[in-house]
Amino acid sequence: MSQATDRRVPLLTQECTAAEALEAVGSSWHGLSAEDANERLVAHGRNELVRPRQASVVRRFLAQFTDLFAVMLIVAAGITSVAYLLSDPPDIGSLQLAIAILAVVLLNAVIGFMQEYMAERTAEALQAMVPHRARVIRDGERAEVPAAELVPGDLVVVEAGDAVSADCRVVEAHELTVNNMALTGESAPVRRDADPVAASIARLEARDLVWMGTTVTAGTGKAVVVATGRNTEFGRIYQLTAGAATDVSPLRRQVALMARRVAAAAFALGVLLFAVRLLAGGSLVETFVLALGVMVALVPEGLPATMSVALAIGVRRMAKRHALIKKLLAVETLGSTTVICTDKTGTLTKAEMTVQVIWTDGRVRRVSGAGYEPKGEVEDPDSVRELLRVAALCCDARLLPPAGRQGWRVLGDTTEGALLVVAAKAGLDVQAEQQNAARVGELPFDSARKLMTTLHTTDGRTWAHVKGAPQELLARCTHIRDAAGISTLDDQKRRAVLAANDEMAGSALRVLAVAVREVGSARADHDEAEHGLTLLGLVGMLDPPRPEVVAAVQACREAGIRIVMTTGDYALTAEAIARKVGIIPRGAVPRTITGVELDQTDDATLHTALVENPYLLFARVKPEHKMRVVSAFKDLGEIVAVTGDGANDAPALKRADIGVAMGESGTDVAREASVMVLLDDSFASIAAAVELGRSVYQNIRKFLIYLFSHNIGELMPILAATAVGFPLVPLSAVQVLAIDLGSDVLPALALGTEPPEPGVMKTPPRDPRKPLFSIDLVRRMLFLGSIQAVVVTAVFFWHISKAGIPFDAFTSDNPVYREALTMTQAGIVVCQFFNGFAVRSDRLSVFRIGLLSNRPLLAAQAIGLAIMCAISYLPPLQAVFNTAPLSVADWGLLFALGSLVLVADEIRKAVHRRKEVLT
Ligand code: ATP
């Protein structure tokens, strides 16, 4: 076994044939046995790249202290400590404040570190969920294994769209080309084949080698693994270069920018207040402490953490609904998607193909049975057996009998699976036929040609078996075979074939044509093998729509999202399916544009067509057409999500705002190029992700309003005190910190977990150019914040006035002052309690959403109140915060006044809703 690695270098550099290469790694054309593969897995380890060690934990933790907020707070703590040292008698309050601020810095650093760590783990976990499989031949049978379980000696089967999962020596190739960009930086595809290569050729140039990390762009082939994991060329480079790439989304950037601006404003205001109060004769230390209070009150300490958590929750919820988000950016963009360009097969439909009709000899034969179980009847089987034999031999898929709880399954293309099933139903033994007519060559399927050809020899003669899209294949046929034998395919017969095709397609069937011809040798190329063919007939297969798609399409329509089908399939089939799932409503007349028409259309005409036709379908399109459609929509200012599964879809997936790849059926290349992967391939999952994307954005707005509006409540009493010449602070910096990082953080986090609001999919998509801090957001913040500010300022001064002594007579240990101080803090906490309910929706009454429906919020609010009670009643905390116990009457007053926040907002919402109804 270990010979595999020992011989790696000579194998890669020395001239050897495919057979010698197989032998050198102890493998054969039958691949390894399962047992041997297991032993090799133990010996060589998993085929994975272990992340190189990143910056040490300590360094990453220390980096948290270099953040702007942290630096500001550390400087503030430094100055406060100096104030303490200079004060005589020693001002214990300054020391407490310095310690409190440092505690805040530490707490923030811990939260920041945890959050980075969690985000990384989430990204890794999501990455691990993206399916990564390899097709191998083991014990002579094709099988699929996780790419991480490949071992040296494994015989892998590759085809267009696959990522190469290990370093391999090619042993068989059919028009195989690969893109070595990941290793060489050269993006042009290069040809690979199984012929021996001179030892002098540079390894990366060697035509017989394919490397881990590169992709197959076209063709098919077999290759034997020579190195896995860290022993691969890619693994070596990865160890040298890989690092963690952080992804800062625009929304996070906007929030960070806003937070910085607010911090700058806070600083300026603090300095101004400091100067004003100092000039008015305030003591240095007290004035400084007050100014610091203002700064700390305004800086949104908990914001970055809350923001990351909300996004992470969004990503997790989407993963639960089968949509894996690879980039956080997508969470935000999803919410403003205006157009979804979707494939048909597998996304709107189940991709569970069942042949229902066969057309040959001018007549339709019905087939009974459902699914992949080869049980059912073919009408007049003798008349279709040759057609089905030719079709079945032209397939790469395998039919797998029931195993465990799974029923009959198809390994490979389901279209081909259906052909194997119907062949069995007609009484053919496909395996025996495969042995009788050995496959000696192939021209793989590609979605541009829409054809696939295999070459077979029997009795010394070689035949090309061709299957593919009827129109494409018909154009290459010169003859037709019917009961009377082979005859020329004249115009009349051609029309008959096309009519039969349209009839089947019109009833939503996917149609494939089948043809043959004799060729000169197994080396026949496209020109020889795919021309002058004899048509044998048509096969129509049913691919039922996914049941959940109808509701998802409806939801997207209500959400103002346009759905445009872009399919490789035939126009009539596409239209029939589009009607079934509701993309084209009853009575509506669609406009279908085919790939050929698209080639003849200039950009301006295409733009007009997109704008003027609400029900557009693109049929028989190639991947490059999809790219054009996506670009055209983007030119029109739309936010486009596009689905893709093939290797050639990668450019369109990259060009779109949201590239959506398929987890089950898609290729590795498509998954690589996309930002979202659908684990179940279903369109309904895109709709679900859009809904969650919208709700994440709403939730971020909610806690922004929640967090910023209370800043006004914290600031106002301080400004008022300065204005009326009250010598002490109505709310100390330590108290502000206790609110911002104690009672406020959890409710803000809980607001980030709100489920999507009812009606979130009933409004048009958000304009992505509209800034997060829009006018209406600021207006709402001011509205809720002002009520808080008035309430809090009122309770403070009302309490102070109860003492009946002049302002100048107050000292910081005055019991009334201590009570008033407690009232201010409790006032903010109680106002925020009601604010938490108010911000849960911009338009809907909280009683409609359900007062108790966000449990985490209720718990968080309860904790917030509990913290406040502790600060008011526990003597050690009273000492730190200079607070006093509040009476039941005090609480009663606070709740009565605090509820005004909710009441006023409910009235505002009611007025707003009324206006909406009237307009
Ligand atoms: P969508 O783009 O919506 O997924 P699709 O699966 O029909 O639709 P393609 O895979 O590009 O798109 O296939 C285009 C056409 O090629 C099909 O309509 C069919 O006629 C033909 N075709 C599909 N698979 C095969 C195959 N394995 N062999 C031969 N022809 C095929």
Side-chain angles (χ1 to χ4, degrees):
M1 271 156 285
S2 59
Q3 65 181 0
T5 35
D6 296 346
R7 293 207 187 170
R8 187 172 79 100
V9 177
L11 181 70
L12 291 179
T13 51
Q14 280 178 1
E15 191 168 309
C16 68
T17 63
E20 285 164 357
L22 283 167
E23 205 197 316
V25 286
S27 190
S28 74
W29 290 105
H30 288 285
L32 301 173
S33 68
E35 200 184 318
D36 192 0
N38 278 341
E39 282 172 20
R40 289 182 189 224
L41 188 61
V42 176
H44 293 274
R46 291 174 68 81
N47 178 32
E48 282 169 339
L49 297 180
V50 186
R51 235 169 201 251
R53 278 176 66 87
Q54 293 175 356
S56 77
V57 175
V58 180
R59 269 181 66 178
R60 285 165 68 192
F61 181 65
L62 289 179
Q64 304 290 331
F65 295 96
T66 55
D67 170 80
L68 179 74
F69 287 150
V71 172
M72 274 179 65
L73 290 175
I74 291 171
V75 171
I79 301 176
T80 323
S81 315
V82 173
Y84 165 72
L85 293 175
L86 294 182
S87 57
D88 185 27
D91 173 26
I92 198 78
S94 304
L95 183 65
Q96 280 174 350
L97 180 59
I99 294 173
I101 294 178
L102 287 180
V104 167
V105 175
L106 193 69
L107 188 71
N108 248 358
V110 171
I111 294 176
F113 177 76
M114 296 276 292
Q115 152 209 329
E116 244 176 46
Y117 182 76
M118 259 173 57
E120 229 167 68
R121 290 297 302 271
T122 309
E124 273 169 22
L126 291 179
Q127 200 60 39
M129 280 167 85
V130 177
H132 203 60
R133 293 181 288 255
R135 278 179 296 278
V136 291
I137 295 180
R138 283 193 185 163
D139 290 315
E141 297 269 342
R142 271 183 187 229
E144 251 181 21
V145 295
E149 288 173 18
L150 281 182
V151 290
D154 254 330
L155 188 56
V156 295
V157 182
V158 289
E159 60 180 44
D162 285 350
V164 180
S165 308
D167 287 356
C168 309
R169 161 68 158 83
V170 177
V171 292
E172 184 185 312
H174 303 284
E175 314 213 318
L176 187 67
T177 56
V178 294
N179 183 332
N180 277 345
M181 175 121 147
L183 284 180
T184 60
E186 180 57 60
S187 66
V190 283
R191 200 60 188 253
R192 287 293 173 258
D193 56 42
D195 297 337
V197 170
S200 57
I201 302 274
R203 295 182 348 145
L204 286 176
E205 308 274 293
R207 283 174 63 111
D208 60 344
L209 299 174
V210 289
W211 306 93
M212 173 195 250
T214 63
T215 50
V216 179
T217 47
T220 58
K222 291 189 186 131
V224 63
V225 174
V226 293
T228 55
R230 53 188 304 167
N231 293 326
T232 59
E233 199 68 17
F234 191 74
R236 209 173 49 76
I237 299 172
Y238 184 81
Q239 293 294 322
L240 299 178
T241 58
T246 44
D247 156 35
V248 183
S249 65
L251 210 57
R252 272 169 91 167
R253 230 177 281 141
Q254 271 192 51
V255 169
L257 185 74
M258 186 64 188
R260 255 151 235 259
R261 285 200 187 135
V262 172
F267 184 72
L269 197 64
V271 171
L272 190 74
L273 265 183
F274 181 68
V276 170
R277 286 195 68 136
L278 207 60
L279 289 178
S283 88
L284 184 72
V285 171
E286 262 165 23
T287 311
F288 175 74
V289 170
L290 177 112
L292 199 64
V294 170
M295 287 187 210
V296 181
L298 281 180
V299 173
E301 290 91 354
L303 190 56
T306 316
M307 176 86 193
S308 311
V309 172
L311 286 172
I313 288 172
V315 169
R316 255 183 235 164
R317 282 196 179 153
M318 287 183 190
K320 260 197 213 145
R321 305 276 292 265
H322 309 293
L324 291 190
I325 301 291
K326 288 166 53 194
K327 286 195 179 133
L328 274 183
L329 166 72
V331 180
E332 308 165 21
T333 322
L334 262 170
S336 42
T337 306
T338 55
V339 175
I340 303 176
C341 295
T342 174
D343 283 343
K344 174 182 68 67
T345 311
T347 316
L348 296 171
T349 64
K350 290 181 167 176
E352 282 170 18
M353 313 274 177
T354 315
V355 173
Q356 293 218 314
V357 287
I358 301 169
W359 183 93
T360 183
D361 199 10
R363 276 200 311 124
V364 166
R365 273 87 176 163
R366 311 225 156 257
V367 181
S368 66
Y372 294 122
E373 187 181 2
K375 228 168 124 184
E377 300 290 321
V378 179
E379 195 184 318
D380 192 5
D382 294 339
S383 66
V384 294
R385 209 163 278 135
E386 177 57 9
L387 182 162
L388 294 178
R389 187 187 73 87
V390 169
L393 290 186
C394 182
C395 287
D396 284 331
R398 266 186 61 207
L399 198 58
L400 303 178
R405 268 190 286 147
Q406 281 176 318
W408 285 86
R409 276 183 313 134
V410 171
L411 186 67
D413 186 351
T414 50
T415 302
E416 296 188 350
L419 292 174
L420 297 177
V421 172
V422 69
K425 284 179 184 169
L428 280 163
D429 178 346
V430 177
Q431 261 180 352
E433 297 294 345
Q434 279 166 342
Q435 273 157 14
N436 286 345
R439 192 192 284 193
V440 289
E442 65 187 67
L443 303 169
F445 173 75
D446 79 67
S447 45
R449 217 166 90 254
K450 299 186 182 7
L451 298 177
M452 168 169 170
T453 300
T454 50
L455 302 169
H456 302 264
T457 25
T458 28
D459 305 330
R461 296 167 73 182
T462 307
W463 298 88
H465 292 198
V466 190
K467 70 181 192 319
Q471 279 180 320
E472 275 70 3
L473 191 57
L474 208 57
R476 293 155 195 266
C477 288
T478 48
H479 292 79
I480 182 165
R481 215 187 76 158
D482 52 26
I486 297 174
S487 56
T488 310
L489 186 64
D490 57 26
D491 282 350
Q492 193 191 351
K493 285 179 182 159
R494 240 173 240 281
R495 277 198 297 275
V497 179
L498 287 175
N501 174 41
D502 287 0
E503 167 110 30
M504 290 187 205
S507 41
L509 295 182
R510 177 180 177 84
V511 191
L512 239 64
V514 182
V516 279
R517 73 161 290 185
E518 189 172 0
V519 290
S521 78
R523 293 210 161 247
D525 59 7
H526 289 285
D527 283 341
E528 187 186 354
E530 292 178 351
H531 284 100
L533 293 160
T534 300
L535 183 75
L536 299 182
L538 306 175
V539 182
M541 46 188 89
L542 181 76
D543 177 15
R546 288 172 175 268
E548 73 275 17
V549 165
V550 179
V553 166
Q554 172 73 12
C556 285
R557 166 137 334 115
E558 285 174 5
I561 300 167
R562 192 166 164 192
I563 305 168
V564 178
M565 189 197 273
T566 49
T567 177
D569 214 335
Y570 188 51
L572 287 178
T573 312
E575 186 184 327
I577 294 285
R579 284 191 190 282
K580 279 196 175 181
V581 297
I583 291 179
I584 304 171
R586 202 169 294 157
V589 184
R591 162 111 159 79
T592 308
I593 300 179
T594 63
V596 177
E597 284 173 73
L598 203 53
D599 283 335
Q600 292 153 359
T601 309
D602 61 26
D603 282 348
T605 321
L606 177 59
H607 286 168
T608 320
L610 295 186
V611 175
E612 284 179 355
N613 301 284
Y615 304 112
L616 261 187
L617 280 180
F618 291 91
R620 282 288 185 244
V621 291
K622 298 179 193 167
E624 59 263 34
H625 293 132
K626 219 188 245 184
M627 171 79 175
R628 246 194 100 193
V629 174
V630 169
S631 296
F633 271 122
K634 286 200 74 169
D635 292 345
L636 291 171
E638 307 283 0
I639 305 292
V640 190
V642 67
T643 65
D645 43 18
N648 306 347
D649 287 329
L653 289 169
K654 283 213 169 117
R655 174 86 177 96
D657 298 281
I658 305 272
V660 184
M662 303 300 144
E664 273 188 17
S665 64
T667 57
D668 300 325
V669 176
R671 284 194 282 265
E672 197 66 19
S674 60
V675 291
M676 183 163 124
V677 179
L678 299 183
L679 288 179
D680 62 354
D681 294 9
S682 173
F683 178 84
S685 304
I686 309 178
V690 168
E691 181 180 359
L692 287 168
R694 286 185 173 195
S695 95
V696 166
Y697 187 83
Q698 279 188 343
N699 289 352
I700 290 174
R701 267 181 59 105
K702 285 173 198 171
F703 64 68
L704 283 178
I705 299 173
Y706 177 82
L707 287 177
F708 276 109
S709 55
H710 91 288
N711 278 349
I712 307 175
E714 288 171 345
L715 185 64
M716 189 59 84
I718 301 178
L719 293 182
T722 310
V724 300
F726 186 76
L728 301 170
V729 287
L731 185 70
S732 69
V734 202
Q735 282 179 304
V736 167
L737 289 175
I739 296 172
D740 288 4
L741 291 152
S743 18
D744 252 14
V745 168
L746 290 180
L749 287 177
L751 285 169
T753 70
E754 280 268 321
E757 249 179 63
V760 64
M761 287 293 269
K762 301 246 177 329
T763 50
R766 169 176 66 86
D767 178 355
R769 280 159 308 196
K770 198 169 152 193
L772 178 61
F773 291 88
S774 58
I775 297 286
D776 30 309
L777 182 119
V778 174
R779 221 187 279 146
R780 206 150 143 55
M781 253 163 3
L782 289 177
F783 176 74
L784 293 165
S786 319
I787 303 171
Q788 273 200 43
V790 172
V791 167
V792 175
T793 315
V795 290
F796 177 78
F797 282 105
W798 174 75
H799 228 84
I800 286 292
S801 68
K802 274 204 317 194
I805 53 172
F807 283 172
D808 286 350
F810 276 97
T811 53
S812 61
D813 54 358
N814 179 313
V816 175
Y817 169 66
R818 289 181 66 155
E819 264 173 35
L821 208 52
T822 319
M823 283 297 268
T824 327
Q825 187 180 354
I828 292 173
V829 173
V830 171
C831 281
Q832 282 293 81
F833 175 85
F834 289 105
N835 197 12
F837 292 118
V839 298
R840 285 186 57 199
S841 169
D842 274 357
R843 288 175 43 255
L844 295 179
S845 161
V846 69
F847 300 102
R848 162 107 206 274
I849 315 176
L851 196 60
L852 309 179
S853 60
N854 185 341
R855 294 276 160 84
L857 179 66
L858 295 177
Q861 285 172 320
I863 294 174
L865 287 173
I867 293 176
M868 186 59 235
C869 289
I871 290 175
S872 169
Y873 298 112
L874 298 183
L877 292 180
Q878 287 171 350
V880 173
F881 290 93
N882 200 22
T883 43
L886 295 182
S887 68
V888 175
D890 290 336
W891 283 110
L893 177 75
L894 290 176
F895 270 88
L897 291 176
S899 66
L900 288 178
V901 174
L902 185 57
V903 173
D905 199 51
E906 285 290 325
I907 294 172
R908 184 196 63 81
K909 285 176 186 168
V911 172
H912 206 75
R913 284 197 300 271
R914 244 208 130 128
K915 263 200 223 149
E916 262 174 23
V917 174
L918 292 178
T919 48

